[in-house]
Amino acid sequence: PAGTMVARFALFNADTSGEGQPDLDLYLANADGLLIQRSESGGSDEMITMVNPAPGEYRLCVAGYSVPGGSANYKLSTWLVTPDKAADNLKVNLPGLVYTGKSASVAYSWSGLDSGKRYLGMTHFLNAGAVEAATMLEVDTTDPLPSFRFGRAVSNKRK
């Protein structure tokens, strides 16, 4: 949909089963069938992420690169992060004033997440109403000890 900040499609080895160890890959094409992204790592830990994707239709294909026994069971995980999906259980603490060229600390915390799930979100950092930078946030509660990763998604540095 229009306004999507992040679209992500992923497979995980932990969510894939079959005879031997299936090696699945992901392919993403636009509505015309033109391949625009692929993920072909060994095993079935595959991920395609689009930041600020153009609105429209896309085609996602899960392909068996190596599938002993001829079939595999898998769970395809998908996330579409849009501004209207605001999280009331995510807290972001940051300084009230930040200076260009200086470091600042940002703290993230969350509560009430269901165990056994993976979450994806994005925070925007604004300067005079315009997005100056954005950070993707991933929380994985499928492990007894939840993990957290973040990555810079957008940076509009001024010259």
Side-chain angles (χ1 to χ4, degrees):
T4 298
M5 298 181 291
V6 178
R8 175 172 284 173
F9 311 96
L11 297 171
F12 297 93
N13 283 329
D15 297 338
T16 304
S17 63
E19 190 176 311
Q21 286 190 314
D23 181 352
L24 305 178
D25 295 327
L26 287 177
Y27 298 92
L28 182 67
N30 64 16
D32 296 328
L34 179 66
L35 182 66
I36 56 175
Q37 283 194 47
R38 68 175 125 211
S39 179
E40 300 172 317
S41 64
S44 294
D45 277 335
E46 307 292 346
M47 186 177 300
I48 291 176
T49 302
M50 296 189 305
V51 177
N52 299 320
E57 292 188 22
Y58 296 87
R59 295 184 180 140
L60 183 73
C61 179
V62 176
Y65 176 76
S66 174
V67 184
S71 66
N73 298 309
Y74 61 89
K75 176 183 170 189
L76 176 66
S77 297
T78 62
W79 297 267
L80 291 176
V81 179
T82 59
D84 62 338
K85 291 187 178 179
D88 59 0
N89 58 348
L90 173 68
K91 298 203 182 315
V92 181
N93 295 313
L94 60 151
L97 188 60
V98 178
Y99 296 96
T100 302
K102 301 291 181 183
S103 295
S105 295
V106 177
Y108 298 92
S109 64
W110 60 89
S111 63
L113 299 181
D114 294 334
S115 62
K117 294 186 177 184
R118 296 175 182 96
Y119 297 87
L120 180 69
M122 179 173 272
T123 57
H124 280 166
F125 300 94
L126 306 177
N127 183 3
V131 176
E132 184 75 20
T135 300
M136 284 188 291
L137 310 165
E138 302 171 33
V139 179
D140 184 349
T141 65
T142 61
D143 194 299
L145 181 60
S147 63
F148 171 74
R149 291 184 342 162
F150 68 93
R152 187 176 216 173
V154 177
S155 177
N156 297 325
K157 296 199 175 196
R158 298 172 192 259
K159 294 181 180 180

